[in-house]
Amino acid sequence: TQLLEQSPQFLSIQEGENLTVYCNSSSVFSSLQWYRQEPGEGPVLLVTVVTGGEVKKLKRLTFQFGDARKDSSLHITAAQPGDTGLYLCAGPNNAGNMLTFGGGTRLMVKP
Amino acid sequence: DTEVTQTPKHLVMGMTNKKSLKCEQHMGHRAMYWYKQKAKKPPELMFVYSYEKLSINESVPSRFSPECPNSSLLNLHLHALQPEDSALYLCASSRGGARVEPQHFGDGTRLSIL
């Protein structure tokens, strides 16, 4: 069974601070996806990383896929209250027919 | 606005009721999913439909019965649910095919069992 572990589970910071969220596994993934879920809504895809060592940027968010494709990180620069939400990493299982989700990181950015 | 539409947004039902959750997408996706999400937890996969055929059932109790009438619609029929079934039920879709593609989620139905 492929497991994805996210850390931290919960993060409360002030507006303007930087933060990093981690998604780790002992298994190799062909790709990893990051989603953000806001209260009362479904998860929304932020990015998919496919190549080991890949770095993708989405405004103030920087996503990195580990060289060995076993881990990924999400770095947010100058966090804003609008970044508040549940951040989920997810990857395809070995059979490639479903996603395995990490446990999520709940981020709260205070004004 | 999400491209996957779920109805109703909220549902309160008794343990003896029968109700259905509905999900619709018009993106031409051929894979559709039902997830259950408890508070502060990640989504848990329940069912996967691929090209309108049930391909994965994650050992879900028979009181949950999925149905895929066509490539755009996905239903979840509920009967004799238990209080612990109270949760947010999410529908998602993806392009389908040999690889797992990124999924598009609806905003969910928040279900409360009395």
Side-chain angles (χ1 to χ4, degrees), chain A residues 30-31 33 35 37 40-45 48 50 86 88 91-93 95-99 101-104 106, chain B residues 33 35 37 39-43 45 48 55-56 58 88 90 97-108 110:
Chain A
S30 58
S31 64
Q33 302 165 18
Y35 294 82
Q37 184 177 19
E41 299 182 5
V44 174
L45 178 72
T48 301
V50 179
L86 177 67
L88 296 159
N93 65 343
N97 56 4
M98 58 184 277
L99 283 179
F101 279 88
R106 190 164 296 275
Chain B
Y33 311 80
Y35 289 88
Q37 186 177 28
K40 301 181 181 180
K41 298 292 186 182
L45 183 66
V48 180
S55 60
I56 294 178
E58 288 288 281
L88 180 68
L90 292 164
R99 294 188 325 134
V100 173
E101 299 283 343
Q103 295 182 9
H104 296 249
F105 285 84
D107 285 338
R110 187 159 299 281

Side-chain angles (χ1 to χ4, degrees), chain A residues 2 6 17 21 24 37 54 62 72 74 76 84 89-90 97 101 106 109:
Chain A
Q2 292 177 292
Q6 288 187 240
E17 293 184 16
V21 174
N24 295 306
Q37 184 177 19
E54 181 178 9
T62 301
S72 182
L74 158 59
I76 301 179
T84 293
C89 65
N97 56 4
F101 279 88
R106 190 164 296 275
V109 182

